Amino acid sequence: MIDLDNTYQTLTSRELTHEQKLMGLAKCAENALDVLNIPPRTKHFFETGAINDLFEGGAPYRPRYILPDYEKFVEQGSEFLKLSPPKTLDELIFSLMILYRHVPSITNFPVYLGSLDKMMEPYLDGHTDEEIREKLRLFLTYLDRTITDSFCHANLGPEDTRAGRLILQVEAELKNTVPNFTIKYDPAITPDSFMEQAIQCSLDCSNPAICNHAANRVPFGDQYGVASCYNILPTQGGAYTLTRVTLTELVKEAKNEEHFLNELLPECLGLIADYMNERIRFIVEESGFFESNFLVKEGLLSKDRFLGMFGVTGLAECVNALLREQGKKYGQDPEADDLGVRIMNRINELVPQYKALYSPVCGDQFLLHAQVGLDSDQGITSGVRIPIGDEPVSFADHLRHSSKFHHYFPAGVGDIFPIASNVHQNPAALLDVVKGAFSLGVQYMSFYSADTDLIRITGFLVKRSEMEKYRKHEAVLQNTTQLGAPNYDKNHLAERKVRMA
């Protein structure tokens, strides 16, 4: 049944743009359908919050995250879009602008724009740096104003390119919310000077985040992209679905540690696997997406390159609940961290036992992902992060803690660190921190200056100034501002510990 109250509220809202209303009404219609087989026990865990499908809707009609093979598009053009392969930089930008308009996802916008530096580099000859910067200003401004959702990533690196350096220059100037850039960093490939420029850009405008290329290329080789909230996924494919276990809520039913590890976890994780398979089955067998979409027909996507993401969040509160009588806390006490490792070992033991439908790219298994959270989360710390206020005094100790948990998550994990503004004077020092962290096994990290307008909420970017408009009940362009503002306030993100390099 259609939720008439929610539909009417969406229809009459003064705080939503026309486009946001349209997407909201479409979600109301989708949720009116009941096409998935969901057992009573699964519904129980949905009701308690232990299982959450992150608003994927009642009737999935496209994969959640889509990462087209943009390089193939550049080589061949598109018969469906009536575009020839681009011959100039202007034609390349023009063609990408058109294609992005036709790439779907859970957000109704593209969550992945490709490796922009690699696509642009062959087209730069004959142009001065200023000519290229002016084209980039227009292109990046177009993306920010038309892809009004900051769960949208573009990638750079790991190679040093003229295009990459110019993109960083323009991004530092524009300070846009979209796209959310990630630079793939490998000290064996990426020169220090390029990374120092990227870090300086990040301190200026919270962009780009930094991906440990050597660690994150393990599942798919070089054929991977970083999409949405630091999701590591195969290009020419993506993720059918992402459903999470919220350990914060699941542990509330636990009698003790043994009951949690040996009864609740196996039951709940098995139900999540069944639920995701039900979604995958419907997308592949009934939605018609893979039979009808031109991205598939033209070889930019392949069903064999999609997978199911098994999300985990709220580890910190789960550990703290089990150790409440001992007074031990995650991120502060070795006993608590050891329990966190035991929980993750148990999850890592169980999840590979569940067969994932239509997922040959990862051996017919689900891949673990440290899910970043929702605007409705309160008292639930994203993924395997340390709660705000409980961070270790030492930056190095914080990173050592991260390294204990990042390796469990081939489909993406990350940490966010506000940085003292005086580090602007010495980005080389912060690069040394990155090198040390990656050598320990940290897989993904992002910085923002403590006093910048553009900040990271969980994995996405929002401007403080735009959140203030939203709090005053004004319409805002980016719909992620509506997600970021409640999260920023409820979870006290302004109180994140500011780090020195």
Side-chain angles (χ1 to χ4, degrees), residues 9-170:
Q9 289 173 10
T10 301
L11 190 72
T12 58
S13 173
R14 269 62 168 176
E15 299 170 3
L16 300 176
T17 65
H18 172 75
E19 184 177 45
Q20 289 162 1
K21 286 185 178 184
L22 189 66
M23 290 187 291
L25 293 170
K27 182 61 70 175
C28 290
E30 180 187 352
N31 286 334
L33 298 175
D34 185 14
V35 300
L36 302 175
N37 179 26
I38 306 175
R41 191 62 174 160
T42 305
K43 291 179 180 178
H44 162 76
F45 284 122
F46 267 106
E47 291 167 0
T48 66
I51 299 178
N52 191 302
D53 65 3
L54 309 169
F55 307 111
E56 287 195 351
Y61 55 94
R62 73 290 186 237
R64 182 181 181 96
Y65 299 128
I66 291 174
L67 285 71
D69 186 343
Y70 289 114
E71 287 78 9
K72 186 169 186 177
F73 166 76
V74 172
E75 292 175 2
Q76 69 184 26
S78 170
E79 181 180 353
F80 180 80
L81 296 177
K82 300 179 175 61
L83 292 172
S84 300
K87 300 182 180 64
T88 66
L89 181 58
D90 285 337
E91 288 183 2
L92 172 68
I93 291 173
F94 177 73
S95 295
L96 289 174
M97 288 164 61
I98 292 173
L99 179 59
Y100 293 153
R101 176 65 181 77
H102 298 276
V103 177
S105 77
I106 184 64
T107 67
N108 298 304
F109 298 103
V111 295
Y112 175 70
L113 304 180
S115 297
L116 291 182
D117 53 349
K118 291 183 179 179
M119 286 191 284
M120 290 183 172
E121 186 71 10
Y123 295 89
L124 301 191
D125 289 347
H127 295 284
T128 66
D129 284 358
E130 184 49 43
E131 287 172 343
I132 297 166
R133 281 192 292 264
E134 183 55 32
K135 295 177 189 298
L136 288 172
R137 288 185 192 101
L138 295 174
F139 177 53
L140 294 176
T141 300
Y142 166 85
L143 295 177
D144 185 67
R145 305 306 191 271
T146 59
I147 302 174
T148 54
D149 184 289
S150 60
F151 294 111
C152 174
H153 263 266
N155 296 173
L156 303 172
E159 296 82 9
D160 181 7
T161 60
R162 182 186 177 199
R165 288 179 179 265
L166 292 172
I167 288 170
L168 290 173
Q169 289 176 21
V170 173

Side-chain angles (χ1 to χ4, degrees), residues 40 172-173 186 289 309:
E173 170 194 330
D186 184 340
F289 177 85
M309 298 173 69

Side-chain angles (χ1 to χ4, degrees), residues 428-496:
L430 205 47
L431 177 56
D432 286 340
V433 171
V434 174
K435 289 179 179 179
F438 283 7
S439 71
L440 292 173
V442 171
Q443 294 187 189
Y444 195 96
M445 58 196 303
S446 50
F447 307 118
Y448 62 89
S449 178
D451 56 3
T452 188
D453 185 34
L454 187 63
I455 62 169
R456 290 191 179 273
I457 301 297
T458 52
F460 61 95
L461 297 168
V462 172
K463 290 188 176 182
R464 286 188 172 102
S465 55
E466 290 294 295
M467 288 193 291
E468 191 57 35
K469 290 180 183 178
Y470 177 73
R471 294 185 188 105
K472 294 177 180 177
H473 305 288
E474 299 177 20
V476 289
L477 181 64
Q478 302 286 342
N479 59 31
T480 29
T481 303
Q482 301 164 22
L483 303 178
N487 197 314
Y488 189 81
D489 296 335
K490 289 178 183 177
N491 291 307
H492 310 290
L493 301 191
E495 300 172 21
R496 282 174 175 153

Side-chain angles (χ1 to χ4, degrees), residues 96-324:
L96 289 174
M97 288 164 61
I98 292 173
L99 179 59
Y100 293 153
R101 176 65 181 77
H102 298 276
V103 177
S105 77
I106 184 64
T107 67
N108 298 304
F109 298 103
V111 295
Y112 175 70
L113 304 180
S115 297
L116 291 182
D117 53 349
K118 291 183 179 179
M119 286 191 284
M120 290 183 172
E121 186 71 10
Y123 295 89
L124 301 191
D125 289 347
H127 295 284
T128 66
D129 284 358
E130 184 49 43
E131 287 172 343
I132 297 166
R133 281 192 292 264
E134 183 55 32
K135 295 177 189 298
L136 288 172
R137 288 185 192 101
L138 295 174
F139 177 53
L140 294 176
T141 300
Y142 166 85
L143 295 177
D144 185 67
R145 305 306 191 271
T146 59
I147 302 174
T148 54
D149 184 289
S150 60
F151 294 111
C152 174
H153 263 266
N155 296 173
L156 303 172
E159 296 82 9
D160 181 7
T161 60
R162 182 186 177 199
R165 288 179 179 265
L166 292 172
I167 288 170
L168 290 173
Q169 289 176 21
V170 173
E171 180 60 24
E173 170 194 330
L174 295 177
K175 298 178 172 61
N176 284 339
T177 307
V178 177
N180 195 337
F181 279 101
T182 292
I183 185 165
K184 299 176 180 179
Y185 174 53
D186 184 340
I189 300 172
T190 319
D192 285 0
S193 61
F194 187 34
M195 275 307 301
E196 287 176 21
Q197 183 186 353
I199 288 171
Q200 184 62 62
C201 184
S202 185
L203 293 172
D204 288 338
C205 63
S206 305
N207 239 341
I210 306 170
C211 167
N212 184 338
H213 180 61
N216 283 295
R217 68 183 301 275
V218 170
F220 316 113
D222 290 329
Q223 306 306 308
Y224 79 93
V226 185
S228 191
C229 282
Y230 59 72
N231 302 337
I232 307 299
L233 293 168
T235 52
Q236 199 187 18
Y240 293 116
T241 183
L242 165 57
T243 300
R244 78 180 194 186
V245 56
T246 307
L247 299 173
T248 309
E249 303 299 337
L250 182 62
V251 76
K252 293 177 181 178
E253 298 188 32
K255 299 174 184 176
N256 49 44
E257 179 184 329
E258 182 179 355
H259 178 239
F260 180 76
L261 290 174
N262 297 323
E263 294 187 40
L264 280 177
L265 261 185
E267 180 189 20
C268 187
L269 299 186
L271 292 172
I272 289 174
D274 291 343
Y275 176 74
M276 285 201 287
N277 274 333
E278 180 67 1
R279 298 192 71 88
I280 293 169
R281 180 199 61 77
F282 188 87
I283 292 169
V284 173
E285 298 178 5
E286 298 191 44
S287 76
F289 177 85
F290 289 101
E291 290 78 25
S292 63
N293 193 278
F294 80 97
L295 296 169
V296 179
K297 292 181 178 180
E298 296 186 1
L300 307 186
L301 293 176
S302 168
K303 175 168 58 66
D304 292 342
R305 301 277 294 170
F306 281 84
L307 56 92
M309 298 173 69
F310 209 113
V312 176
T313 201
L315 178 64
E317 288 77 20
C318 176
V319 168
N320 292 346
L322 290 171
L323 295 179
R324 185 171 290 116

